[in-house]
Amino acid sequence: MPIGSFRLNSISAAAAAVSNSITATGGTITYYVSGGIHNFITAGNNSFVVSAVTGTPTVDFVIAGGGGGSGGVAAGTGNPSGSGPGGGGQVVSGTGQAVTAQTYTIAVGAGGTAGTNSPTVGGTGGSSTAFGYTAVGGAGGGA
């Protein structure tokens, strides 16, 4: 399943120093003491809205391309032997990505379609993008 995850880094310095913080919405959010994680799993364009920042905040991210579809099965047999699985999507990660108050588009690539019958190969998974980075979708499986 394609997903894009973004961990918000909240760095508190010593007293009287500026704290880096982010107020953001988008995706499914899981909160932790040191920040939160925004998960995007719906294929297509999603919005990561940073509405307020203090200091110079950053996010860490993991982007996965959609997986490839499996190869087709001989019609009427229901026997998957001989059909290959689809390839996994590429994974791209990074740390310390600076963010500002704006809306970022998070594109989540869909998984590839399965081959309909033998010898149809599976479809290629869609690419996922965020912050100018792209994770390419996986190749379809053989029939």
Side-chain angles (χ1 to χ4, degrees):
M1 173 175 281
I3 119 176
S5 293
F6 304 94
R7 184 181 74 181
L8 303 181
N9 297 324
S10 179
I11 303 168
S12 297
V18 175
S19 176
N20 296 322
S21 66
I22 301 170
T23 301
T25 59
T28 301
I29 306 170
T30 304
Y31 293 101
Y32 296 94
V33 173
S34 63
I37 295 176
H38 293 244
N39 288 308
F40 297 86
I41 60 172
T42 303
N45 289 337
N46 300 271
S47 294
F48 176 59
V49 181
V50 178
S51 56
V53 298
T54 303
T56 310
T58 62
V59 297
D60 298 340
F61 61 89
V62 176
I63 307 166
S70 64
V73 178
T77 67
N79 182 0
S81 63
S83 65
Q90 179 185 25
V91 175
V92 175
S93 64
T95 60
Q97 175 70 43
V99 293
T100 59
Q102 64 177 295
T103 299
Y104 295 89
T105 298
I106 310 300
V108 177
T113 56
T116 54
N117 54 44
S118 187
T120 307
V121 298
T124 299
S127 295
S128 299
T129 62
F131 305 116
Y133 296 93
T134 300
V136 178

